[in-house]
Amino acid sequence: MARAVTLIRSTALSDVAEYAYAATAPAGSRLIFLAGACPLNHDGSTAAVGDYAGQAAKAVENMRTALASAGASLEDVISTRVLVASARQEDLVTAWQVVRDTFGDHDVPSTLMGVTVLGYQDQLVEIEAVAAVLDS
């Protein structure tokens, strides 16, 4: 299946970042704007309390479900924003590594942010995403 997302890498920027610096989607593609994927279980409880990697994994799982409901997959994501409730860089990196590993070669433009607090009890991670698909 043809993909709408084209990742752009600039040789004028550092190659240290583990993501593309930009991405495009052609005219006529359908954009999908996801609410922040939270690490919530089906019953509404927070998964993996106190575990940044565990919460990142659950948020990715929930993001995959939301994407599938919209007719998309991780390969259709055009950008992400990973929010981590911590002032410690190592906590941000722990959550980021889970997200980064999940996306593999589809290393979309991403922003990683430490925030003061997130919306649910015991929530440490949230992942926002935008996807683009070509409907046939």
Side-chain angles (χ1 to χ4, degrees):
M1 170 169 59
R3 297 280 180 203
V5 176
T6 300
L7 300 179
I8 300 167
R9 291 163 175 72
S10 174
T11 57
L13 296 169
S14 170
D15 64 358
V16 171
E18 296 180 317
Y19 47 81
Y21 280 100
T24 63
S29 58
R30 178 171 53 92
L31 296 179
I32 302 164
F33 298 88
L34 282 81
C38 299
L40 298 180
N41 296 312
H42 192 267
D43 66 2
S45 63
T46 302
V49 172
D51 179 0
Y52 288 93
Q55 287 201 9
K58 183 62 176 177
V60 167
E61 177 186 325
N62 289 343
M63 182 173 58
R64 283 183 196 263
T65 300
L67 285 164
S69 295
S73 69
L74 286 178
E75 291 77 24
D76 299 309
V77 171
I78 195 167
S79 69
T80 67
R81 181 177 297 125
V82 181
L83 309 172
V84 181
S86 179
R88 295 172 7 124
Q89 187 177 29
E90 55 267 29
D91 295 335
L92 278 69
V93 171
T94 296
W96 167 250
Q97 196 60 55
V98 172
V99 175
R100 175 66 187 94
D101 290 350
T102 298
F103 277 91
D105 290 338
H106 187 66
D107 54 348
V108 299
S110 297
T111 299
L112 175 63
M113 300 173 62
V115 298
T116 304
V117 66
L118 291 166
Y120 292 100
Q121 178 96 21
D122 299 316
Q123 183 183 358
L124 300 173
V125 178
E126 187 164 332
I127 306 168
E128 297 176 15
V130 177
V133 295
L134 296 171
D135 292 320
S136 45

